[in-house]
Amino acid sequence: MDKNKMLSNPQETIKVIQENGFTFHKKYGQNFLIDSHVIDKIISVADLDKNSRVLEIGPGIGTLTQYLAEAAGEVVAVEIDDKLIPILSKTLAEYDNVKVIHGDILKQDTEKIFGGAPFKIVANLPYYITTPIIMNLLESGVPAESITVMIQKEVAERMQASPGSKDYGALSLAVQYYSEPYLAANVPPNCFMPRPNVGSAVINLKRLETPPVSVKDPEQMFKLIRGAFNQRRKTLANAVGNYDGVAFSRENVEAALVALGLDTRVRGEALTLEQFAALSDELDNQK
Ligand code: SAM
């Protein structure tokens, strides 16, 4: 398809919206892409070829979907808004490698979407559910090789933050346990219609075959992490001791920190993923 005929410019987007009497739904986080350079960047970062299967979350009017259909072998796009389904059947009519599913991504059995075969996720995500979508995908073990998504800039920075920085927290540790994050581009509000109130960024999460640290009980480690950042201004021992999600007292945590050669007054934000793994294992040893 001639790229000039595509939807990735403000005039074509307005035309499709007006012709179909569509009105934006704020509750669905609808900010449609209107900049072809940004879409080219997403496609190049996603590293697609004709053997690739792609799951797109929230195709909107199909702007990014058209590019995905041209670059990949097979595309499945899940859209929640029933008003967009008839529009998509028109804008994607000439692509026989695209299937649109009308539904909520959080309720889909994503593992079965390509019959268990590996796939890549590419999306301009609805910002109100970025974290649950990404955490579900990472934790559920679906065969997603990579996730390339437009998200709020601040969330992208949290995903790749290092210990000691203000952005470092439970999300950084979870993302970095399952994947290698790469912040590929910052994207200003004028690349969307309507403009979001926040800056955006394209992030690529490459799934790791094996986690970068070994820990006996990853579930327990993540509970400790949640506890540590639940009250991030407190010491790690106090925050975990006060947290209902785990049964360890402040004294248990302090003893484990001493055994690991760490200061008992350390805060969670100073600990690396390796140190959280060691802390979790040490607490098990002391049971
Ligand atoms: N991909 C389009 C683009 O880039 O122009 C639209 C992106 S817009 C930021 C997010 C899209 O996700 C909207 O079409 C919205 O209706 C859809 N959406 C919101 N919540 C959803 C959910 N729970 N499941 C599936 N789609 C959802």
Side-chain angles (χ1 to χ4, degrees):
M1 181 192 252
D2 174 4
K3 285 208 170 175
N4 294 323
K5 289 200 190 107
M6 290 191 168
L7 304 165
S8 54
N9 64 70
Q11 297 75 25
E12 274 303 309
T13 298
I14 289 171
K15 196 167 151 226
V16 169
I17 285 169
Q18 286 181 343
E19 278 177 5
N20 292 279
F22 177 76
T23 44
F24 288 97
H25 272 119
K26 220 174 170 181
K27 70 166 175 176
Y28 288 145
Q30 293 174 338
N31 300 99
F32 297 167
L33 273 165
I34 50 167
D35 187 307
S36 61
H37 300 293
V38 173
I39 302 183
D40 284 336
K41 180 77 187 174
I42 296 173
I43 299 292
S44 106
V45 174
D47 191 23
L48 306 173
D49 61 35
K50 283 293 170 189
N51 294 316
S52 312
R53 297 172 202 88
V54 174
L55 168 62
E56 185 190 8
I57 298 159
I61 58 169
T63 312
L64 174 61
T65 326
Q66 292 184 336
Y67 284 67
L68 293 170
E70 301 225 338
E74 209 183 326
V75 181
V76 172
V78 179
E79 174 56 59
I80 199 168
D81 187 348
D82 52 359
K83 301 281 187 304
L84 289 167
I85 305 301
I87 300 180
L88 287 164
S89 67
K90 291 184 223 166
T91 58
L92 302 174
E94 64 182 79
Y95 298 101
D96 55 11
N97 60 342
V98 179
K99 181 176 151 197
V100 174
I101 296 178
H102 179 208
D104 180 345
I105 190 63
L106 294 174
K107 296 188 183 145
Q108 299 297 309
D109 193 349
T110 32
E111 192 157 359
K112 295 214 182 107
I113 280 182
F114 292 101
F119 60 92
K120 295 181 174 180
I121 293 163
V122 186
N124 169 19
L125 284 181
Y127 294 175
Y128 75 107
I129 44 167
T130 299
T131 308
I133 290 177
I134 292 191
M135 290 317 300
N136 266 3
L137 291 168
L138 290 174
E139 284 172 348
S140 63
V142 295
E145 299 164 317
S146 65
I147 302 177
T148 306
V149 281
M150 179 80 73
I151 58 176
Q152 198 175 327
K153 180 168 179 268
E154 197 189 295
V155 180
E157 284 165 354
R158 278 166 45 207
M159 287 182 179
Q160 59 154 28
S162 307
S165 77
K166 69 168 177 28
D167 295 327
Y168 186 63
L171 183 65
S172 331
L173 285 153
V175 163
Q176 293 167 31
Y177 180 77
Y178 291 106
S179 73
E180 192 184 319
Y182 162 61
L183 204 161
N186 286 321
V187 181
N190 62 6
C191 296
F192 303 86
M193 183 182 292
R195 295 177 184 205
N197 297 327
V198 291
S200 304
V202 178
I203 196 158
N204 172 266
L205 308 178
K206 199 178 287 163
R207 197 177 182 96
L208 296 167
E209 301 255 323
T210 47
V213 297
S214 85
V215 57
K216 274 185 241 153
D217 184 350
E219 207 179 309
Q220 171 175 289
M221 176 181 75
F222 282 115
K223 283 184 185 158
L224 284 171
I225 289 172
R226 247 172 269 142
F229 289 99
N230 206 30
Q231 293 181 297
R232 63 183 293 148
R233 294 280 136 233
K234 290 210 178 315
T235 66
L236 171 67
N238 269 327
V240 173
N242 290 340
Y243 181 63
D244 289 339
V246 280
F248 300 112
S249 65
R250 176 171 63 81
E251 291 76 14
N252 293 147
V253 180
E254 284 180 351
L257 287 170
V258 170
L260 296 173
L262 291 166
D263 190 327
T264 53
R265 289 160 306 167
V266 74
R267 285 186 186 164
E269 64 197 22
L271 261 62
T272 61
L273 182 57
E274 290 75 10
Q275 288 171 321
F276 272 110
L279 179 68
S280 178
D281 286 353
E282 182 58 33
L283 282 162
D284 272 339
N285 290 342
Q286 295 187 359
K287 265 183 193 166

